[in-house]
CSV table of all heavy atoms in Angstrom, one decimal:
chain,number,residue,atom,x,y,z
M,1,LYS,N,-1.3,-9.9,-2.8
M,1,LYS,CA,-0.9,-10.6,-4.0
M,1,LYS,C,-1.9,-11.8,-4.2
M,1,LYS,O,-2.1,-12.5,-3.2
M,1,LYS,CB,0.5,-11.1,-3.8
M,1,LYS,CG,1.4,-10.8,-5.0
M,1,LYS,CD,2.8,-11.3,-4.8
M,1,LYS,CE,3.7,-10.2,-5.4
M,1,LYS,NZ,5.1,-10.7,-5.3
M,2,TYR,N,-2.4,-11.9,-5.3
M,2,TYR,CA,-3.4,-13.0,-5.6
M,2,TYR,C,-2.9,-13.6,-7.0
M,2,TYR,O,-2.8,-12.9,-8.0
M,2,TYR,CB,-4.8,-12.5,-5.7
M,2,TYR,CG,-5.8,-13.6,-6.1
M,2,TYR,CD1,-6.0,-14.7,-5.3
M,2,TYR,CD2,-6.5,-13.5,-7.3
M,2,TYR,CE1,-6.9,-15.7,-5.7
M,2,TYR,CE2,-7.4,-14.4,-7.6
M,2,TYR,CZ,-7.6,-15.5,-6.8
M,2,TYR,OH,-8.5,-16.5,-7.2
M,3,LYS,N,-2.6,-14.9,-6.9
M,3,LYS,CA,-2.1,-15.6,-8.1
M,3,LYS,C,-0.8,-14.9,-8.7
M,3,LYS,O,-0.7,-14.8,-9.9
M,3,LYS,CB,-3.2,-15.8,-9.2
M,3,LYS,CG,-4.3,-16.7,-8.8
M,3,LYS,CD,-5.3,-16.9,-9.9
M,3,LYS,CE,-6.4,-17.9,-9.5
M,3,LYS,NZ,-7.3,-18.1,-10.5
M,4,GLY,N,0.0,-14.4,-7.8
M,4,GLY,CA,1.3,-13.8,-8.1
M,4,GLY,C,1.2,-12.4,-8.7
M,4,GLY,O,2.2,-11.8,-9.0
M,5,ILE,N,0.0,-11.9,-8.7
M,5,ILE,CA,-0.3,-10.5,-9.2
M,5,ILE,C,-0.7,-9.6,-8.1
M,5,ILE,O,-1.7,-9.9,-7.4
M,5,ILE,CB,-1.3,-10.5,-10.3
M,5,ILE,CG1,-0.9,-11.4,-11.4
M,5,ILE,CG2,-1.6,-9.1,-10.8
M,5,ILE,CD1,-2.0,-11.7,-12.4
M,6,PRO,N,-0.1,-8.4,-7.9
M,6,PRO,CA,-0.6,-7.5,-6.8
M,6,PRO,C,-1.9,-7.0,-7.2
M,6,PRO,O,-2.2,-6.6,-8.3
M,6,PRO,CB,0.5,-6.4,-6.9
M,6,PRO,CG,1.7,-6.9,-7.6
M,6,PRO,CD,1.2,-8.0,-8.5
M,7,ARG,N,-2.9,-7.0,-6.2
M,7,ARG,CA,-4.2,-6.6,-6.4
M,7,ARG,C,-4.6,-5.5,-5.4
M,7,ARG,O,-4.2,-5.6,-4.3
M,7,ARG,CB,-5.2,-7.8,-6.3
M,7,ARG,CG,-5.1,-8.9,-7.3
M,7,ARG,CD,-5.9,-8.7,-8.5
M,7,ARG,NE,-7.3,-8.3,-8.3
M,7,ARG,CZ,-8.3,-9.1,-8.4
M,7,ARG,NH1,-8.2,-10.3,-8.7
M,7,ARG,NH2,-9.5,-8.6,-8.2
M,8,ARG,N,-5.5,-4.7,-5.8
M,8,ARG,CA,-6.1,-3.7,-4.9
M,8,ARG,C,-7.5,-4.0,-4.7
M,8,ARG,O,-8.3,-4.2,-5.6
M,8,ARG,CB,-6.0,-2.3,-5.5
M,8,ARG,CG,-6.6,-1.2,-4.6
M,8,ARG,CD,-6.4,0.1,-5.3
M,8,ARG,NE,-7.3,0.2,-6.5
M,8,ARG,CZ,-7.3,1.2,-7.3
M,8,ARG,NH1,-6.5,2.3,-7.1
M,8,ARG,NH2,-8.1,1.2,-8.4
M,9,PHE,N,-7.9,-4.1,-3.4
M,9,PHE,CA,-9.3,-4.5,-3.1
M,9,PHE,C,-9.9,-3.2,-2.4
M,9,PHE,O,-9.3,-2.6,-1.5
M,9,PHE,CB,-9.3,-5.6,-2.1
M,9,PHE,CG,-8.8,-6.9,-2.7
M,9,PHE,CD1,-7.5,-7.3,-2.6
M,9,PHE,CD2,-9.7,-7.8,-3.3
M,9,PHE,CE1,-7.0,-8.5,-3.1
M,9,PHE,CE2,-9.2,-9.0,-3.9
M,9,PHE,CZ,-7.9,-9.3,-3.8
M,10,ARG,N,-11.1,-2.9,-2.8
M,10,ARG,CA,-11.8,-1.8,-2.2
M,10,ARG,C,-13.2,-2.3,-1.7
M,10,ARG,O,-13.8,-3.2,-2.4
M,10,ARG,CB,-12.0,-0.7,-3.1
M,10,ARG,CG,-10.8,0.1,-3.5
M,10,ARG,CD,-11.1,1.2,-4.5
M,10,ARG,NE,-10.0,2.0,-4.8
M,10,ARG,CZ,-10.0,2.9,-5.7
M,10,ARG,NH1,-11.1,3.2,-6.3
M,10,ARG,NH2,-8.9,3.6,-5.9
M,11,ALA,N,-13.7,-1.8,-0.6
M,11,ALA,CA,-15.0,-2.2,-0.1
M,11,ALA,C,-15.6,-1.1,0.7
M,11,ALA,O,-14.9,-0.3,1.4
M,11,ALA,CB,-14.9,-3.4,0.7
M,12,ASN,N,-16.9,-1.0,0.7
M,12,ASN,CA,-17.7,-0.2,1.6
M,12,ASN,C,-18.1,-1.1,2.7
M,12,ASN,O,-18.7,-2.1,2.5
M,12,ASN,CB,-18.9,0.5,0.9
M,12,ASN,CG,-18.5,1.5,-0.1
M,12,ASN,OD1,-17.5,2.1,0.0
M,12,ASN,ND2,-19.3,1.6,-1.1
M,13,THR,N,-17.8,-0.7,4.0
M,13,THR,CA,-18.1,-1.5,5.1
M,13,THR,C,-18.8,-0.8,6.2
M,13,THR,O,-19.0,0.5,6.2
M,13,THR,CB,-16.7,-2.1,5.7
M,13,THR,OG1,-16.0,-1.0,6.3
M,13,THR,CG2,-15.9,-2.8,4.7
M,14,LYS,N,-19.3,-1.5,7.2
M,14,LYS,CA,-20.0,-1.0,8.3
M,14,LYS,C,-19.3,-1.6,9.6
M,14,LYS,O,-19.0,-2.8,9.6
M,14,LYS,CB,-21.5,-1.3,8.4
M,14,LYS,CG,-22.2,-0.7,9.5
M,14,LYS,CD,-23.7,-0.9,9.4
M,14,LYS,CE,-24.3,0.0,8.4
M,14,LYS,NZ,-25.3,0.9,8.8
M,15,VAL,N,-19.0,-0.7,10.6
M,15,VAL,CA,-18.4,-1.2,11.8
M,15,VAL,C,-19.4,-1.9,12.6
M,15,VAL,O,-20.5,-1.4,13.0
M,15,VAL,CB,-17.9,0.0,12.6
M,15,VAL,CG1,-17.3,-0.4,14.0
M,15,VAL,CG2,-16.8,0.8,11.8
M,16,THR,N,-19.2,-3.2,12.9
M,16,THR,CA,-20.1,-4.0,13.7
M,16,THR,C,-19.6,-4.1,15.2
M,16,THR,O,-20.4,-4.4,16.0
M,16,THR,CB,-20.2,-5.4,13.1
M,16,THR,OG1,-19.0,-6.0,13.0
M,16,THR,CG2,-20.9,-5.4,11.7
M,17,ARG,N,-18.3,-3.9,15.4
M,17,ARG,CA,-17.8,-3.9,16.8
M,17,ARG,C,-16.5,-3.1,16.8
M,17,ARG,O,-15.7,-3.2,15.9
M,17,ARG,CB,-17.6,-5.3,17.2
M,17,ARG,CG,-17.1,-5.5,18.6
M,17,ARG,CD,-16.9,-7.0,19.0
M,17,ARG,NE,-16.4,-7.1,20.3
M,17,ARG,CZ,-16.3,-8.2,20.9
M,17,ARG,NH1,-16.5,-9.3,20.3
M,17,ARG,NH2,-15.8,-8.2,22.2
M,18,CYS,N,-16.3,-2.4,17.9
M,18,CYS,CA,-15.1,-1.7,18.1
M,18,CYS,C,-14.6,-1.9,19.5
M,18,CYS,O,-15.2,-1.6,20.4
M,18,CYS,CB,-15.3,-0.2,17.8
M,18,CYS,SG,-13.8,0.8,18.0
M,19,THR,N,-13.3,-2.4,19.6
M,19,THR,CA,-12.7,-2.7,20.9
M,19,THR,C,-11.5,-1.8,21.0
M,19,THR,O,-10.6,-1.9,20.2
M,19,THR,CB,-12.3,-4.2,21.0
M,19,THR,OG1,-13.4,-5.0,20.7
M,19,THR,CG2,-11.7,-4.5,22.4
M,20,ILE,N,-11.5,-0.9,22.0
M,20,ILE,CA,-10.4,0.0,22.3
M,20,ILE,C,-9.3,-0.8,23.0
M,20,ILE,O,-9.6,-1.5,24.0
M,20,ILE,CB,-10.9,1.2,23.1
M,20,ILE,CG1,-11.9,2.0,22.3
M,20,ILE,CG2,-9.7,2.1,23.4
M,20,ILE,CD1,-12.6,3.1,23.0
M,21,LYS,N,-8.1,-0.6,22.5
M,21,LYS,CA,-6.9,-1.3,23.1
M,21,LYS,C,-6.6,-0.6,24.5
M,21,LYS,O,-6.6,0.6,24.5
M,21,LYS,CB,-5.7,-1.3,22.2
M,21,LYS,CG,-6.0,-2.0,20.9
M,21,LYS,CD,-4.7,-2.0,20.1
M,21,LYS,CE,-4.9,-2.7,18.8
M,21,LYS,NZ,-3.8,-2.6,17.9
M,22,SER,N,-6.3,-1.4,25.5
M,22,SER,CA,-6.0,-0.8,26.8
M,22,SER,C,-4.5,-0.5,27.0
M,22,SER,O,-4.2,0.4,27.7
M,22,SER,CB,-6.5,-1.7,27.9
M,22,SER,OG,-5.8,-3.0,27.8
M,23,ARG,N,-3.6,-1.2,26.3
M,23,ARG,CA,-2.2,-1.0,26.6
M,23,ARG,C,-1.5,-0.2,25.4
M,23,ARG,O,-0.4,0.3,25.6
M,23,ARG,CB,-1.5,-2.4,26.7
M,23,ARG,CG,-2.0,-3.1,27.9
M,23,ARG,CD,-1.2,-4.4,28.1
M,23,ARG,NE,-1.8,-5.2,29.1
M,23,ARG,CZ,-1.4,-5.3,30.4
M,23,ARG,NH1,-0.4,-4.5,30.7
M,23,ARG,NH2,-2.0,-6.0,31.2
M,24,THR,N,-2.1,-0.1,24.3
M,24,THR,CA,-1.5,0.6,23.2
M,24,THR,C,-2.6,1.6,22.6
M,24,THR,O,-3.7,1.5,22.9
M,24,THR,CB,-1.0,-0.3,22.1
M,24,THR,OG1,-2.1,-1.1,21.6
M,24,THR,CG2,0.1,-1.3,22.6
M,25,VAL,N,-2.1,2.4,21.7
M,25,VAL,CA,-3.0,3.3,21.0
M,25,VAL,C,-3.7,2.6,19.9
M,25,VAL,O,-3.1,1.8,19.2
M,25,VAL,CB,-2.2,4.5,20.4
M,25,VAL,CG1,-3.1,5.4,19.6
M,25,VAL,CG2,-1.5,5.3,21.6
M,26,GLY,N,-5.0,2.8,19.7
M,26,GLY,CA,-5.8,2.3,18.6
M,26,GLY,C,-6.9,1.4,19.1
M,26,GLY,O,-7.3,1.4,20.2
M,27,ALA,N,-7.5,0.8,18.1
M,27,ALA,CA,-8.7,0.0,18.3
M,27,ALA,C,-8.7,-1.2,17.3
M,27,ALA,O,-8.1,-1.1,16.3
M,27,ALA,CB,-10.0,0.8,18.1
M,28,THR,N,-9.5,-2.2,17.7
M,28,THR,CA,-9.7,-3.3,16.8
M,28,THR,C,-11.1,-3.2,16.3
M,28,THR,O,-12.1,-3.2,17.1
M,28,THR,CB,-9.5,-4.7,17.5
M,28,THR,OG1,-8.1,-4.7,18.0
M,28,THR,CG2,-9.7,-5.9,16.5
M,29,LEU,N,-11.3,-3.2,15.0
M,29,LEU,CA,-12.6,-3.1,14.4
M,29,LEU,C,-13.1,-4.4,13.7
M,29,LEU,O,-12.3,-5.0,13.0
M,29,LEU,CB,-12.6,-2.0,13.3
M,29,LEU,CG,-12.2,-0.6,13.7
M,29,LEU,CD1,-12.2,0.3,12.5
M,29,LEU,CD2,-13.1,0.0,14.8
M,30,ASN,N,-14.3,-4.7,13.9
M,30,ASN,CA,-14.9,-5.8,13.2
M,30,ASN,C,-15.8,-5.1,12.1
M,30,ASN,O,-16.6,-4.3,12.5
M,30,ASN,CB,-15.8,-6.7,14.0
M,30,ASN,CG,-15.0,-7.6,15.0
M,30,ASN,OD1,-13.8,-7.4,15.1
M,30,ASN,ND2,-15.6,-8.4,15.7
């Protein structure tokens, strides 16, 4: 929500870092 209005944001990105979680499933991406 931006200025009280729901907004959709889209972007093309590149993964600069990926950290795999040790205690749960998944990863943290920069």
Side-chain angles (χ1 to χ4, degrees):
K1 229 179 218 187
Y2 177 63
K3 294 186 177 181
I5 301 168
R7 295 272 313 254
R8 178 179 67 185
F9 296 90
R10 292 180 175 177
N12 293 329
T13 65
K14 183 174 284 238
V15 177
T16 56
R17 182 176 179 177
C18 180
T19 306
I20 298 172
K21 297 180 181 180
S22 61
R23 297 185 188 262
T24 59
V25 175
T28 300
L29 303 177
N30 290 7

